[in-house]
């Protein structure tokens, strides 16, 4: 699956088996978008929303109406170990769940900010932005949690403990992004065009949408040549990495991810 390191499909299955008890609570009842790499990360990949025709009957699914035509998408649910192993054996390296749970897919359980550095910026710049968002949300009495994306970005998750719709959560996320862009224009951009992102961190608020998904915590990533993991990190770790300019402290391969999860 990862030719640069020789990391095989068997090791992918082994990793997901080992991390199952930690990842499954974050996947339960959430529709899943598959990101499959049948020929490894060096070959072509594709996103698959509709459960394949050969999906076993014991895999649970949840139907969601399409936005543009009168039909539905049957998303798979990964609620147990057999489903997770089946997903891994399908070369679904990355697990992308919705922000909402079935059957209440119109009701997100969190707001997500995806910090994506443009050309000339890196994960340390993402750390700077993450800390700015944390401070802003703290002034609003909101708590957020960070995970490194397994690439050069960082994702922030804000739990929603009341019934909130996407019609409220997305404008809120957009307002946060626009405010921080106005305060830190040399560091943050909140607009989509890639030409505006050079040397800055794109604060992507658009993930807060009913039909979008975000890579799960503890998921493998298929970015670059190594099997990095989307890993939860503490604010102390982000601050320390930023102060020491230690980018390597923010990348975790499967063995390190499993060790951290078991210790915690």
């Amino acid at each position: 699956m990862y030719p640069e390191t020789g990391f095989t499909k068997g090791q992918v299955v082994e990793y997901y088996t080992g991390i199952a008890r930690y990842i499954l609570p974050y996947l339960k009842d959430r529709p899943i978008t598959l990101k499959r790499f049948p020929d490894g990360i060096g070959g072509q990949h594709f996103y698959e929303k509709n459960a394949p025709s050969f999906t076993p009957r014991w895999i649970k699914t949840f139907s969601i109406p399409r936005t543009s035509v009168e039909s539905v998408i049957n998303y798979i649910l990964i609620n147990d170990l057999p489903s997770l192993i089946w997903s891994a054996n399908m070369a679904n390296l990355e697990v992308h769940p919705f922000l909402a749970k079935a059957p209440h897919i119109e009701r997100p359980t969190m707001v997500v900010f995806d910090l994506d550095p443009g050309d000339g910026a890196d994960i340390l710049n993402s750390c700077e932005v993450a800390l700015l968002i944390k401070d802003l949300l703290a002034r609003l009495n909101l708590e957020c949690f960070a995970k490194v994306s397994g690439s050069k970005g960082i994702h922030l998750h804000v739990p929603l403990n009341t019934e909130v719709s996407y019609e409220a959560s997305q404008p809120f996320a957009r307002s946060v992004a626009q405010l921080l862009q106005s305060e830190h224009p040399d560091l943050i951009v909140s607009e989509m065009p890639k030409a505006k992102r050079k040397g800055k961190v794109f604060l992507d608020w658009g993930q807060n949408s009913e039909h979008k998904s975000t890579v799960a915590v503890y998921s493998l990533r298929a970015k670059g040549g190594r099997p990095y993991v989307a890993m939860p990190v503490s604010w102390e770790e982000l601050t320390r990495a930023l102060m020491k300019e230690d980018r390597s402290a923010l990348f975790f391969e499967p063995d390190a991810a499993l060790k951290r999860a078991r210790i915690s």
Side-chain angles (χ1 to χ4, degrees):
M1 294 286 99
Y2 296 81
E4 181 179 310
T5 63
F7 198 79
T8 67
K9 183 191 278 190
Q11 288 172 295
V12 170
V13 172
E14 183 180 13
Y15 168 72
Y16 276 117
T17 301
I19 206 68
R21 63 178 293 189
Y22 306 100
I23 191 174
L24 284 173
Y26 297 100
L27 304 180
K28 184 174 174 58
D29 293 333
R30 297 182 187 274
I32 302 293
T33 297
L34 306 175
K35 188 176 182 181
R36 296 175 57 193
F37 293 78
D39 299 311
I41 66 169
Q44 291 187 342
H45 71 274
F46 58 94
Y47 289 92
E48 192 166 29
K49 296 183 177 182
N50 221 6
S53 59
F54 51 83
T55 301
R57 292 183 179 180
W58 46 265
I59 297 284
K60 292 183 178 180
T61 61
F62 184 77
S63 297
I64 298 176
R66 293 179 186 267
T67 56
S68 57
V69 295
E70 293 184 3
S71 63
V72 300
I73 300 175
N74 293 309
Y75 287 88
I76 70 164
L77 302 178
I78 299 179
N79 287 355
D80 52 31
L81 177 59
S83 301
L84 184 61
I85 293 175
W86 175 82
S87 165
N89 194 49
M90 290 269 291
N92 181 42
L93 298 182
E94 298 188 1
V95 183
H96 289 250
F98 273 36
L99 300 183
K101 290 185 172 186
H104 304 294
I105 59 160
E106 76 289 345
R107 188 188 306 162
T109 63
M110 67 190 83
V111 172
V112 170
F113 295 97
D114 181 357
L115 314 185
D116 184 11
D119 291 340
D122 62 14
I123 196 167
L124 294 181
N125 300 114
S126 294
C127 286
E128 293 182 70
V129 176
L131 291 165
L132 291 171
I133 296 172
K134 176 181 180 292
D135 290 344
L136 173 58
L137 294 176
R139 298 202 298 271
L140 301 174
N141 293 320
L142 293 172
E143 188 172 12
C144 61
F145 300 87
K147 77 172 187 284
V148 291
S149 70
S151 183
K152 59 181 181 178
I154 292 174
H155 298 164
L156 301 186
H157 296 253
V158 186
L160 297 174
N161 298 316
T162 56
E163 295 185 7
V164 177
S165 68
Y166 287 103
E167 286 73 19
S169 65
Q170 189 181 82
F172 169 74
R174 182 175 62 236
S175 296
V176 169
Q178 291 173 339
L179 174 59
L180 288 174
Q181 176 184 269
S182 69
E183 293 179 345
H184 306 275
D186 295 332
L187 177 62
I188 297 171
V189 61
S190 64
E191 300 163 3
M192 293 288 182
K194 290 190 175 181
K196 297 185 177 184
R197 302 184 197 178
K198 189 173 183 179
K200 301 180 183 181
V201 175
F202 174 44
L203 207 172
D204 186 357
W205 49 269
Q207 291 296 100
N208 299 282
S209 177
E210 189 168 337
H211 292 277
K212 289 196 174 183
S213 55
T214 301
V215 71
V217 65
Y218 299 116
S219 172
L220 288 172
R221 298 308 306 275
K223 304 281 189 179
R226 307 190 70 84
Y228 291 125
V229 175
M231 197 71 191
V233 289
S234 69
W235 292 108
E236 291 76 17
E237 286 178 294
L238 290 183
T239 302
R240 186 163 57 247
L242 184 59
M243 292 180 62
K244 294 184 176 180
E245 297 186 358
D246 185 3
R247 296 164 182 81
S248 65
L250 301 175
F251 291 87
F252 302 90
E253 294 196 32
D255 285 348
L258 286 166
K259 183 177 179 180
R260 279 172 61 97
R262 289 166 180 162
I263 290 174
S264 63

